Amino acid sequence: MSRMNDFIQQETITGIVPMTNKDRQYSFWDLFLSTSGFAIATWCYTQGAYVAQYLTFNQMLINIFSFNIIWVFIECLPILFAVKYGIDLWIWLRAVLGKKGVALLSTIISLANFGWYAVAANLFANSMIHLGNNFGLGLDKGVWAPILGTLCVLLGTLIALGGPEVIKWTNRFLVIALLIVGLIIVGICFVAVPITDIMNIQPATQGDLTPLERFMLSGEGNVAFAFSWSTQALVLPRLAKSERSGYWATALSYGVVAPFFVATGGVMALAMFVKTGVYESDPTTMLSTLSTPAFALLSLLLVAFANIGTQGTGSYVNCMIVKSGMPKVSYKLMVWIAMVYVSLLTIWGGVEEYFGSFISLAAYIQGPIIGMIVVDYFILRKRKLDLRSAYFLEGHDAYEFTKGFNLVGLSCVFISLLVAVLFVYNPVTAQIQSPIFLITTGSGFTAIFGGLLYWLASLTPLKRYMIKDRDSVTI
C-alpha cells in the first residue's frame, strides 16, 4: 500500500494524474518566481539583440512590450481550466487533437522547444569561459564550449529530476538576484554610453525594407517569442492553489518580466553598437565590455547559473508535455533522453546561427494550437471537459476520434502552417509574401487562422465529429 501511494504521488507531480487541492503546492509568489526564473534566461538577451537590429530605441521598446503583452495575456487564458481541473494544456488538447495527435504534436513541439535550452547551455559555456580567462586560465573555446555546455545541461537535468519542489527553491534565489542584475545592467548601459547616442541609432538592418516592414519583422520575432511559452506555460499552473494566482503569476512572468529582459538585451546591443560599432548578442561579451570588471564578473556568474535553473525547469515542463502524449513512459527516462538530445544540440551549436528561422518555425506549429484551444475552451466546449474521456476510462471514448487522431484539429494545424509559409511569411527565407503579414505577422496569422478554421469547421456537420462529450462533461 505504501509503494502504491508513493507511485500515485509520483504520477501526480511528474505525471498526468489530475492534481487535487491538497497536492497543489504553489502560491502566487512560488509560481511567479518559478515561471520568471524559467522566462528570464539569457536567451532574452539574444532575443533583444535580434529585435534591436531592425528598430530605433523607442520603436524597439514599443515592439517588445506590445506584442508580448497582447499575445501572452491571450494565450494564458486557458490557464483557468488548467487550475480548475488540475491538468495541463495537453490533457485538454486530447479533445482537440485526439490522444495520438497529442503524442505526435507534443513530441514535435518539445523537440523544437529544446533548441532554446541549447542556446542557454551555449551561453552558460561562453560565460564560464570568459570568467575562467579573466582569472588567467586560458580556456580554448573550441575545446571547452561543448564540455561546459554539456555540464550545464547535466546540472539542469539533476534539478529536473528533483521535480517542482527543487525547481521552486532554485528559482527563489536566482530570480531575485537576476532581477536586480537586470536593473543594474540597464543603468550601466546608459552610463557606459550617452543615452542620446543610444536613442539616435538608426536600424542596422534596413536593405529595401520599409519602416513598417522592419517593425513587423521585429514583431514576428516577438510574437514567436511569446508563442514559445504557450505549450510550456500551461504545465506549471496546475500546481497553483487558485485560478486567479495561476493566471496572473504566469501572464505577468511571460508577458512583463520576460519582455523586460528582452528589452535589456536590446539596450545592451544598442550600447555595444555605439561603443564598438558591432551588434552583439552574447551577454558575456556585452557585460564585460560595458561594465566594470568586478560587476561584470558577478553578473556573468549569476547569468551563467541562471541557465542551469532554466535547464531544470525547461526539462521538467517539456518532459511533462511529452508525457501527456506518452503517459506510460517514465518521467525520469524522458529527462535523461532530453539531456542527451539537448547536449547534442549544444555541441552542434547551430541553433543560434539560424535563430530567427528557428523561433518562427516553432511558432508556426504552436500558433494554430493557441487559436484552437481558445476557440475550443470558450466557444465550443464552454469551459467544460469530459475528464473521464480525457483519460480514456473504460466506456468513455468521446475523444477517440479516428484511431486516436482528431483529423479536423490536426488539419487546422497543418493547413495554417502551410498557408502561412506559402502565402504570408516564409521564415526560412525571411520573405514577406503578403500584406497580411504587416497586420498580423506570420506567427500571429497562424493563431488567428487556425482558430478561425476550427470555428468554421464547428459550423458544419463536422461538429458532430468534433464534439461528442456534452452528455458526460465534468462539472
Side-chain angles (χ1 to χ4, degrees), residues 310-471:
T310 299
Q311 291 285 341
T313 308
S315 183
Y316 169 75
V317 296
N318 281 284
C319 287
M320 290 290 287
I321 289 171
V322 177
K323 195 167 177 62
S324 298
M326 295 182 282
K328 293 184 180 180
V329 180
S330 163
Y331 167 76
K332 291 184 177 180
L333 176 61
M334 286 186 180
V335 172
W336 288 115
I337 293 174
M339 186 199 76
V340 174
Y341 175 61
V342 177
S343 296
L344 291 174
L345 290 178
T346 302
I347 294 169
W348 171 51
V351 175
E352 290 173 271
E353 183 179 351
Y354 304 101
F355 185 74
S357 298
F358 155 67
I359 60 173
S360 286
L361 282 173
Y364 273 27
I365 302 173
Q366 295 163 320
I369 293 176
I370 293 171
M372 289 161 56
I373 195 68
V374 171
V375 169
D376 191 78
Y377 177 56
F378 286 107
I379 300 176
L380 269 67
R381 292 182 213 282
K382 296 180 171 42
R383 297 178 293 169
K384 293 184 178 180
L385 182 75
D386 179 8
L387 207 55
R388 299 174 187 85
S389 290
Y391 283 91
F392 301 98
L393 300 183
E394 186 176 352
H396 298 273
D397 57 359
Y399 307 144
E400 181 61 30
F401 300 109
T402 306
K403 297 182 178 180
F405 295 97
N406 183 337
L407 300 182
V408 174
L410 290 170
S411 296
C412 291
V413 172
F414 292 113
I415 291 172
S416 300
L417 187 154
L418 288 174
V419 170
V421 170
L422 296 176
F423 302 108
V424 180
Y425 174 71
N426 188 326
V428 177
T429 61
Q431 291 295 313
I432 299 172
Q433 301 176 122
S434 168
I436 294 175
F437 176 85
L438 303 179
I439 302 173
T440 64
T441 74
S443 297
F445 173 83
T446 64
I448 296 168
F449 192 60
L452 180 63
L453 282 178
Y454 191 71
W455 175 68
L456 291 174
S458 72
L459 302 180
T460 72
L462 287 172
K463 184 174 183 178
R464 290 194 296 271
Y465 175 86
M466 298 165 64
I467 304 179
K468 302 177 182 178
D469 61 358
R470 294 301 85 187
D471 293 331

Side-chain angles (χ1 to χ4, degrees), residues 32 40 44-45 61 65 174-192 198 256-265 267-268 287 290-291 295 298-299 302-303:
F32 177 74
I40 61 177
C44 289
Y45 300 115
L61 294 182
F65 283 101
L174 284 175
V175 172
I176 294 172
L178 284 169
L179 284 172
I180 295 172
V181 168
L183 290 169
I184 296 175
I185 286 173
V186 173
I188 287 174
C189 289
F190 291 133
V191 171
I198 293 177
V256 178
V257 177
F260 167 77
F261 277 84
V262 172
T264 300
V267 171
M268 290 174 69
L287 281 169
L290 297 172
S291 181
F295 182 76
L298 176 61
S299 301
L302 286 171
V303 166

Side-chain angles (χ1 to χ4, degrees), residues 3 25 33 60 70 93 125 129 141 153 155 214 223-224 229 231 279 301 315-316 334 337 377 449 462-463 472:
R3 291 178 63 185
Q25 51 191 281
L33 292 175
M60 179 190 73
I70 290 170
L93 278 173
I129 289 170
K141 186 174 181 179
V153 179
L155 294 174
R214 283 189 281 105
V223 174
W229 309 119
T231 50
Y279 271 90
L301 194 61
S315 183
Y316 169 75
M334 286 186 180
I337 293 174
Y377 177 56
F449 192 60
L462 287 172
K463 184 174 183 178
S472 54

Side-chain angles (χ1 to χ4, degrees), residues 40-82:
I40 61 177
T42 44
W43 54 46
C44 289
Y45 300 115
T46 304
Q47 173 74 8
Y50 170 77
V51 171
Q53 299 176 65
Y54 293 95
L55 304 173
T56 64
F57 175 76
N58 291 335
Q59 291 171 339
M60 179 190 73
L61 294 182
I62 294 170
N63 198 292
I64 289 171
F65 283 101
S66 61
F67 282 106
N68 275 282
I69 288 174
I70 290 170
W71 279 110
V72 167
F73 278 50
I74 292 172
E75 72 189 43
C76 283
L77 287 172
I79 282 174
L80 301 173
F81 82 69

